Amino acid sequence: MNVPLVGSMLALAVGTYACRLAGPALRSRIDFPPRVEKLLEMGAVVLLAALALTMALTEEQGLAGVARPAGVLAGGVLAWRRAPFLPVVLTAAGVTALLRLLGVP
């Protein structure tokens, strides 16, 4: 067993748990100005959008092709139109599968 690796994993686990506990514990003690709270909310949305785009458009070291982004776009349109979660996911998967079945990469 690789002791430094296990030690590093334990240190990261303890640090992650401590950060998760610090949020609720410190929330009542720290007041942010409304502008900072709005920026933090917008930052979370931007990070989530960046993650979604990265996962939708890339595969390994290159672009994912056309089928996956087309499926994500179809699901995104339904989500924007406030469709329920299950139809959004099934539509995205269906569009991607259909395009791949037709030979679109």
Side-chain angles (χ1 to χ4, degrees):
M1 183 183 317
N2 193 347
V3 176
L5 178 64
V6 172
S8 299
M9 289 172 53
L10 286 174
L12 287 172
V14 168
T16 301
Y17 190 70
C19 285
R20 291 187 62 103
L21 283 177
L26 296 176
R27 181 66 181 144
S28 61
R29 295 181 184 180
I30 298 175
D31 290 326
F32 291 110
R35 183 167 189 260
V36 172
E37 285 187 15
K38 186 161 179 82
L39 287 173
L40 288 173
E41 289 174 10
M42 288 176 23
V45 170
V46 168
L47 284 174
L48 184 59
L51 176 64
L53 284 174
T54 301
M55 295 301 295
L57 299 176
T58 61
E59 185 173 305
E60 294 179 6
Q61 299 295 325
L63 294 176
V66 177
R68 187 189 306 169
V72 171
L73 179 65
V77 168
L78 287 180
W80 176 60
R81 303 282 299 171
R82 301 195 187 274
F85 181 72
L86 186 59
V88 169
V89 172
L90 291 176
T91 300
V95 168
T96 303
L98 182 63
L99 288 173
R100 288 188 176 162
L101 184 66
L102 294 173
V104 177

